[in-house]
């Protein structure tokens, strides 16, 4: 037992130190560290250069905590009133998002000769963006306060809430529970989400007043404990842990939210890095080459549809062309939900190739997405957008004179 503990400390220490060096290297070259963390996971996972054995359980739990912290921190940036307003205004964008990104996945599965269950699964994999990856990218690029960020957030929240209904439904379908079983599972998810929303919106002020900002230690433990507890309860009720964590952030407001953000930021950065490494650790590099070309084609198609989704959503919100492009590029990565959906399919005996395809697909989008999200920060790209905007203004007809 003691030997296992020492090996665990060695593996975790070496892993975290290596991640620190990779993060420093990435930022020196102006890159997000996310792709480097993922590649590190591939190198030290199953089939990699060196396999980490003792720290597997730690990284699995740390990855779950990382997603929860990423989402609660994102929720702390917005109030309940802003959430309701964004959801109402972004409902059409959510519908467009589903049509543009779920249908290509379903069609792709049918073209590969898979059955309708595989098509339903692949539709979910290509539909939902990675809230965890996108939250990290927005923070790395300093765009949390940008005008288009609420639009991005609205699309992500709608997707996460939709997953709260989709995951129980697809589980029932794959398990062969029939219509009655599927509706029963879905009903539990609907009641849970509505209840959490009511508590977050109506009693958020009371929750914030209950948590004192005068004692930093008590504040940290209270907010972190409440977040993990609600996320765990949401998961047990077959609702997304990410949705539960996000709603906790929404429910906390005022000075408590400000101080909680400052105190949770280092913890978020630590466990978010573990999350991205774990994602790579869970993937066997040998499974990727046979499905690489189909995955690449699907990734290119659905990354373009995500850009179109973001562009249309931002235009509807009255955001200018640069913000529309930033919105679309930010939405491209897929991640945690896609892997969860693929895992469900494999567990219930859907085509085994689906897992490898999903893994390669997610890796392509999660590696290239953060890199492409930086395009609007480059001078040459901004110049192209500026010329495009100037051309648009030149083609607009002047208003008739009233003199």
């Amino acid at each position: 037992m003691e030997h296992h503990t020492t090996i665990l400390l060695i593996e975790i220490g070496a892993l975290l130190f290596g991640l620190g060096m990779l993060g420093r290297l990435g930022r020196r070259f102006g890159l997000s560290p996310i792709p480097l963390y993922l590649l590190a996971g591939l190198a030290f996972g199953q089939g990699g250069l060196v396999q980490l054995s003792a720290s597997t359980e730690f990284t699995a739990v740390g990855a779950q905590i990382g997603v929860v912290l990423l989402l609660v921190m994102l929720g702390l940036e917005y109030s309940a009133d802003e959430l309701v307003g964004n959801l109402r205004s972004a409902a059409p964008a959510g519908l467009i998002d589903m049509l543009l990104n779920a249908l290509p996945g379903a069609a792709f599965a049918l073209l590969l000769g898979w059955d309708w269950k595989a098509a339903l699964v692949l539709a979910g994999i290509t539909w939902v963006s990675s809230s965890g990856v996108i939250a990290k990218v927005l923070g790395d690029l300093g765009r949390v306060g940008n005008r288009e960020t609420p639009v991005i957030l609205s699309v992500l929240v709608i997707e996460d809430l939709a997953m709260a209904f989709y995951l129980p439904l697809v589980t029932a379908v794959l398990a062969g529970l029939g219509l009655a079983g599927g509706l029963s599972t879905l009903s539990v998810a609907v009641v849970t989400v509505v209840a959490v929303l009511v508590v977050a919106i109506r009693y958020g002020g009371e929750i914030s007043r209950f948590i004192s900002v005068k004692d930093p230690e008590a504040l940290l433990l209270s907010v972190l404990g409440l977040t993990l507890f609600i996320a765990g309860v949401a998961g047990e009720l077959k609702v997304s842990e990410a949705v539960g964590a996000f709603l906790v952030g929404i429910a906390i407001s005022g000075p408590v939210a400000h101080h909680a953000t400052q105190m949770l930021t280092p913890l978020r950065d630590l466990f978010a890095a573990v999350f991205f490494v774990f994602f790579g650790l869970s993937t066997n590099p040998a499974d990727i080459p046979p499905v690489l070309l189909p995955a690449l084609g699907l990734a290119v198609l659905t990354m373009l549809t995500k850009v179109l989704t973001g562009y249309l959503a931002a235009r509807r919100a009255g955001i200018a062309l640069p913000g529309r492009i930033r919105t679309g590029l930010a939405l491209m990565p897929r991640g945690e939900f896609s892997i969860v959906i693929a895992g469900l399919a494999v567990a219930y005996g859907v085509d085994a190739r689906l897992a490898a395809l999903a893994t390669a697909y997610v890796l392509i989008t999660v590696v290239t997405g953060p890199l492409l999200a930086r395009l609007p920060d480059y001078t040459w790209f901004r110049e192209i957008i500026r010329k495009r905007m100037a051309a648009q203004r030149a083609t607009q007809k002047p208003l008739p004179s009233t003199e």
Side-chain angles (χ1 to χ4, degrees):
M1 186 68 179
E2 183 178 349
H3 175 70
H4 175 78
T5 302
T6 56
I7 296 298
L8 174 64
L9 292 175
I10 291 172
E11 287 189 359
I12 294 174
L15 178 64
L16 294 180
F17 180 79
L19 294 180
M21 294 299 100
L22 286 175
R24 183 178 179 183
L25 178 65
R27 289 184 175 89
R28 173 170 292 183
F29 291 97
L31 298 174
S32 169
I34 293 173
L36 299 179
Y37 294 160
L38 288 167
L39 293 175
L42 281 175
F44 296 103
Q46 181 183 5
L49 300 175
V50 178
Q51 186 171 351
L52 301 179
S53 56
S55 57
T56 303
E57 186 174 351
F58 168 82
T59 53
V61 175
Q64 289 181 305
I65 295 175
V67 174
V68 167
L69 289 177
L70 283 168
L71 269 295
V72 73
M73 292 286 287
L74 203 57
L76 287 170
E77 297 289 338
Y78 300 94
S79 68
D81 291 336
E82 288 173 327
L83 171 65
V84 173
N86 286 337
L87 287 176
R88 288 174 179 171
S89 63
L95 179 60
I96 293 172
D97 179 32
M98 181 186 69
L99 294 175
L100 287 179
N101 297 286
L103 292 181
F108 200 84
L110 295 175
L111 286 175
L112 291 176
W114 297 347
D115 62 15
W116 67 273
K117 290 183 179 180
L120 177 63
V121 170
L122 197 55
I125 291 171
T126 58
W127 173 14
V128 62
S129 298
S130 172
S131 301
V133 173
I134 293 170
K136 178 65 174 173
V137 169
L138 292 176
D140 287 346
L141 299 182
R143 296 180 186 172
V144 173
N146 281 21
R147 188 170 174 233
E148 74 272 4
T149 299
V151 177
I152 298 171
L153 180 65
S154 298
V155 173
L156 294 177
V157 170
I158 290 174
E159 287 181 348
D160 286 345
L161 290 175
M163 286 297 105
F165 307 132
Y166 170 86
L167 288 176
L169 182 62
V170 77
T171 300
V173 169
L174 294 175
L177 296 181
L179 181 60
L183 291 177
S184 175
T185 307
L186 186 59
S187 298
V188 173
V190 171
V191 171
T192 304
V193 170
V194 171
V196 173
L197 277 173
V198 169
V199 171
I201 293 172
R202 291 192 176 181
Y203 305 106
E206 286 77 2
I207 295 173
S208 296
R209 284 191 291 271
F210 180 74
I211 302 174
S212 173
V213 298
K214 296 179 181 179
D215 187 343
E217 181 180 349
L219 173 64
L220 174 62
L221 293 173
S222 300
V223 174
L224 181 59
L226 180 64
T227 301
L228 295 176
F229 176 77
I230 296 298
V233 171
E236 282 296 313
L237 294 173
K238 307 303 180 185
V239 181
S240 162
E241 291 93 340
V243 172
F246 178 80
L247 292 175
V248 170
I250 290 293
I252 298 173
S253 58
V256 174
H258 175 71
H259 287 85
T261 300
Q262 292 180 326
M263 301 193 70
L264 288 175
T265 296
L267 283 176
R268 177 202 62 186
D269 293 341
L270 167 63
F271 285 104
V274 174
F275 161 66
F276 297 120
V277 169
F278 178 74
F279 190 78
L281 288 173
S282 305
T283 305
N284 189 340
D287 294 337
I288 295 178
V291 295
L292 188 57
L293 284 180
L296 181 61
L298 183 61
V300 171
L301 173 62
T302 54
M303 287 170 78
L304 289 174
T305 56
K306 275 293 181 183
V307 172
L308 180 59
T309 298
Y311 181 93
L312 294 175
R315 186 178 70 175
R316 189 174 183 278
I319 293 172
L321 182 60
R324 299 175 197 173
I325 294 175
R326 286 194 297 268
T327 302
L329 293 175
L331 288 171
M332 291 190 295
R334 274 66 160 190
E336 56 275 11
F337 274 128
S338 300
I339 295 300
V340 168
I341 296 168
L344 284 174
V346 173
Y348 285 105
V350 180
D351 197 304
R353 293 172 296 174
L354 182 61
L357 176 69
T359 300
Y361 169 79
V362 170
L363 280 172
I364 292 169
T365 62
V366 86
V367 170
T368 59
L371 296 176
L372 293 174
R374 298 187 64 91
L375 283 177
D377 295 337
Y378 292 110
T379 303
W380 62 268
F381 194 87
R382 289 200 299 266
E383 185 64 19
I384 292 174
I385 300 302
R386 188 190 66 78
K387 291 180 179 179
R388 176 70 181 272
M389 294 176 67
Q392 288 180 344
R393 286 194 295 268
T395 58
Q396 292 176 351
K397 295 182 179 180
L399 294 174
S401 175
T402 57
E403 297 180 359

